Amino acid sequence: MWERVKYWMETRIGLDDLVRSQVTDYRVPKNINIFYTLGFVAAAGYLIQVLSGILLLIYYVPHPDHAFKSVQFIMHKVPFGWLFRQMHVVGSNLMIAAIGLHMLTVFAMGNYKRPRELTWIGGALLLFVTIAFGFSGYLLPWTQLSYWATTVVTSIPTAVPVVGDFVAGILRGGDQVTGATLSRFFAFHVSILPPLFMLLVGIHLFLIKRIGISATPFGLHAEEKRPWTEYHKKSHADGYPYYPRFFQMDMLMVMVYLAVMFALITITPNLFFPEEATIPANPFKTPVTVRPEWYLLAPYQMLKIIPNKFLGIIIQLALFLVFLLWPFFDTEKEKNIMKRPLLRGLFLFSFVLWLILMFWGRS
Amino acid sequence: MRYLVLSVMMIMSLPSFSAAGYREDFAQEFLSKTWAGERIEENACIDCHSSEQMKPAFQDIVDEWKKSWHAQNTIYCQDCHGGDPKDPSVSMTHQRGFVGSPSARQVPEFCGKCHIGILKNYLESGHGKALRATGKGPHCTVCHGSHNVQRANIDIINEQRCAKCHSYERAKVMKQALFLVEKKAGEIEDGIKALRRAGVYPDEQERALFNTQAEFRTLFHTVDVSLVNERTDEFTRKLGAIEKDIQGTFIELRSRKNFSAFLMALFSGMGIVIFLITKTPDK
């Protein structure tokens, strides 16, 4: 039976050839390391978000009067609803962490360099889409925590003269965070961001396959030395086949991701549910501490300490552009960060600055 | 090329220097002000009564009220005294429903507009009857105050307050009768707090406790010790049901923990298996 199904497929879409070209003959460089799996882990993380998200979507009601109650219903009445909510919440944070780590290691290995500038830009955009996912999803449970975090973050654009209030108005659908904001964020979260994300992932994967995975890291390679005048695919004829060797590594890391996820759910089930997250949103009662999600803390804190808010926003936009277009700023041929003290210094400096701002923002 | 981009960005940031001081007050309060504060309505009673020209005897009333449980539950001056908080020129006129300050005998009905069950029990009690007959019974504000009204508990019954008109013995017997149920209610309140710390929204339990407690405390106002003793069992049972519910939730939380620990072990195990497979040499 199985053989016949396979044969049927084979004669129509050329299954063998597909598997051969995409999986077994697809080769990855010999000196590949564990950090190369992080992109796959992030993609698996996204799949987990999609599956758990669909289950939440079945019971969730995006209306200020019902949102909180429906989430409580999921937590206490729906069989295993708590598990899917926990997976979705913990997963959203872990996914951002995985993508962040992915970009850090890509950065450290200099793999954003020619010819992979576009791949980097696609990845950076994916990070921002993921953060937008996190930010919009944060409001949906309609708790004190989410309501006030959204209020402070959506008030950031109002510091920009002339268009600021307009932008904030678009985000909130009014002057305050209201039911209109909830509808907007919900639509954004479940119907605008997912296709955008898939599109970017498609482009990202296409570029990786088309250009060929970068032969790691350290040292100068032929592709960097040669003047770049024509397309050249890197195929690593001497490398490992993707399947099974590298696929196993991918899956190993996915298991690590899942184990960490359930470890967090087991050990600190309330990590992402502080007291304010169990109180329904009350627009008339500002909680003592209002702060956004951890991944927005650093920019938030930076805005807070720069006295002129407009300047602060301009600086952030500039940093955003530098980050997005980094491959065009760093045109040095040397990929090895160990041989580039200046870049290493910059890298460490920004990383430490980010950490400081984040912890400062917490307090 | 990149120098071009850099310099464009430098130029872009120039307007921000010229815009220094732009919306200064905005910048000061930015991200730290309380948004809710803006939305408390204008209230003429509060404005005028907290102003300088108010006579000294009345000056503390607004501050006292602000601390009260009523204020936190959005019960304003006009909800008790009537009148119109919108228009200061006519706010204290009969046309706008202003009823003034109640006399001692009027107080029970004054408060009883909202606390209906308590009013009924109170009027039938020794205290209520005494107030009616001789004016000697204590009315609501003797025990609760009029403006700084706080959440009630049995500590209201103390020697200082209850021994003014009769021996404290009577009051003490009452306090003992209340003690058992109040103690249990206190324990349940702690349980609910613990649930909240565990990330649960204990809405149902809280409401059940509130209703039971309100019903029981209404009973106090009869100041009838035998009636309280008679119904203590009934209330203990009701509270017991809530307690059981809370314990059930904790058991549920523990089983969730076990389940996710199981999943953690499962995925760790699968990770180890895959790791071992990667270590076996290729054929």
Side-chain angles (χ1 to χ4, degrees), chain B residues 63 86 106 227:
Chain B
D63 285 337
K86 297 249 154 55
Q106 290 168 334
L227 186 64

Side-chain angles (χ1 to χ4, degrees), chain A residues 75 158 266 278 284 308 329, chain B residues 2 20 23 36 201 256-257 260:
Chain A
M75 287 300 273
T158 58
T266 310
T278 58
F284 297 101
N308 184 303
F329 288 98
Chain B
R2 61 192 149 135
R23 286 199 207 169
Y201 175 59
R256 287 178 184 183
K257 211 174 199 118
S260 67

Side-chain angles (χ1 to χ4, degrees), chain B residues 177-194:
Chain B
L178 298 173
F179 183 73
L180 214 70
V181 173
E182 285 292 327
K183 185 167 157 258
K184 187 139 202 179
E187 283 165 13
I188 292 177
E189 214 166 323
D190 291 344
I192 288 176
K193 277 196 198 119

Side-chain angles (χ1 to χ4, degrees), chain B residues 33-95:
Chain B
K33 75 178 167 194
T34 53
W35 277 267
E38 305 171 325
R39 273 180 266 162
I40 283 188
E41 295 170 48
E42 295 265 314
N43 185 311
C45 319
I46 295 172
D47 289 347
C48 185
H49 274 261
S50 55
S51 67
E52 289 294 306
Q53 69 251 43
M54 188 45 53
K55 64 181 193 187
F58 288 2
Q59 223 141 41
D60 295 336
I61 288 181
V62 173
D63 285 337
E64 292 218 324
W65 168 79
K66 274 187 180 155
K67 286 181 282 185
S68 73
W69 183 244
H70 280 138
Q72 282 173 50
N73 283 278
T74 61
I75 302 293
Y76 285 81
C77 322
Q78 69 272 12
D79 294 321
C80 284
H81 289 291
D84 184 355
K86 297 249 154 55
D87 187 350
S89 56
V90 293
S91 51
M92 297 205 311
T93 57
H94 284 291
Q95 286 90 329

Side-chain angles (χ1 to χ4, degrees), chain B residues 6 43 50 62 73 107 126 131 138 143 151 156 179 191-192 213 233 239:
Chain B
L6 267 179
N43 185 311
S50 55
V62 173
N73 283 278
V107 167
L131 181 73
C143 297
R151 303 208 61 182
I156 290 176
F179 183 73
I192 288 176
Q213 216 170 14
D233 275 353
L239 291 175

Side-chain angles (χ1 to χ4, degrees), chain A residues 36-114:
Chain A
Y36 273 67
T37 61
L38 285 170
F40 187 87
V41 169
Y46 183 71
L47 189 70
I48 294 169
Q49 294 310 104
V50 169
L51 294 178
S52 56
I54 289 173
L55 288 160
L56 294 177
L57 193 56
I58 293 172
Y59 291 97
Y60 176 73
V61 184
H63 184 285
D65 295 344
H66 305 292
F68 183 81
K69 280 196 202 121
S70 64
V71 171
Q72 295 309 316
F73 185 78
I74 291 169
M75 287 300 273
H76 300 303
K77 297 277 154 48
V78 178
F80 293 99
W82 63 273
L83 186 67
F84 293 111
R85 170 142 191 255
Q86 283 276 18
M87 285 171 70
H88 202 70
V89 170
V90 176
S92 70
N93 290 282
L94 278 184
M95 198 181 146
I96 288 173
I99 295 177
L101 204 60
H102 180 43
M103 296 203 88
L104 278 183
T105 53
V106 165
F107 186 90
M109 296 189 284
N111 288 341
Y112 51 84
K113 287 182 185 294
R114 197 186 68 186

Side-chain angles (χ1 to χ4, degrees), chain B residues 167-233:
Chain B
S167 74
Y168 184 59
E169 259 326 292
R170 273 175 152 177
K172 210 166 152 192
V173 180
M174 190 73 198
K175 192 166 181 168
Q176 277 157 0
L178 298 173
F179 183 73
L180 214 70
V181 173
E182 285 292 327
K183 185 167 157 258
K184 187 139 202 179
E187 283 165 13
I188 292 177
E189 214 166 323
D190 291 344
I192 288 176
K193 277 196 198 119
L195 274 185
R196 183 158 273 148
R197 272 196 304 276
V200 176
Y201 175 59
D203 184 34
E204 273 168 41
Q205 291 92 340
E206 211 162 33
R207 214 167 330 129
L209 174 67
F210 181 86
N211 289 340
T212 318
Q213 216 170 14
E215 203 184 337
F216 181 69
R217 288 176 173 174
T218 306
L219 200 60
F220 162 81
H221 294 90
T222 61
V223 280
D224 183 342
V225 178
S226 56
L227 186 64
V228 171
N229 280 333
E230 212 172 276
R231 296 191 56 191
T232 292
D233 275 353

Side-chain angles (χ1 to χ4, degrees), chain B residues 94-115:
Chain B
H94 284 291
Q95 286 90 329
R96 299 290 169 108
F98 185 64
V99 295
S101 171
S103 70
R105 278 175 202 250
Q106 290 168 334
V107 167
E109 273 83 9
F110 188 83
C111 304
K113 274 189 300 206
C114 305
H115 301 288

